Amino acid sequence: MTENSVSAGTASDVRALLAAALLTYSGGVLMLVGYLLLSGVFGAILGLVGAVFGVVWWRKVHGDKVFPRDISVKSVIVLVAVGAVLTVLAFAMAA
């Protein structure tokens, strides 16, 4: 059996999976916040632009890779915090 040269281990793979899910979720919630803030499609488009800039920033922080081989736990925690804040903001705006 050949060794997997792409993976850095199971924990690294789980962190990459969490990062992918959280980036997708945060981008969607950011679009929702934009939609709720400006009450229309224009707000959703601005939210999408913000999400794209967020991914570009994330890539720059992690050495020109969106999902580097070893994503730090700190980065995943930051994504959880951003997702939580955006979710609370969306709930507050919808109420």
Side-chain angles (χ1 to χ4, degrees):
M1 184 162 126
T2 60
E3 190 173 319
N4 187 354
S5 62
V6 176
S7 176
T10 304
S12 176
D13 292 345
V14 170
R15 285 192 306 264
L17 175 69
L18 283 173
L22 288 168
L23 277 172
T24 304
Y25 176 76
S26 296
V29 175
L30 187 59
M31 286 180 57
L32 176 63
V33 168
Y35 179 82
L36 291 172
L37 186 63
L38 296 177
S39 300
V41 176
F42 182 67
I45 292 171
L46 285 179
L48 178 63
V49 170
V52 168
F53 279 115
V55 171
V56 169
W57 170 80
W58 174 268
R59 184 174 182 234
K60 184 177 178 181
V61 167
H62 291 94
D64 287 335
K65 292 183 180 179
V66 177
F67 303 113
R69 189 174 186 145
D70 288 323
I71 297 176
S72 68
V73 175
K74 179 183 174 185
S75 294
V76 175
I77 290 172
V78 167
L79 278 177
V80 168
V82 167
V85 167
L86 287 173
T87 302
V88 168
L89 183 63
F91 274 116
M93 292 175 69

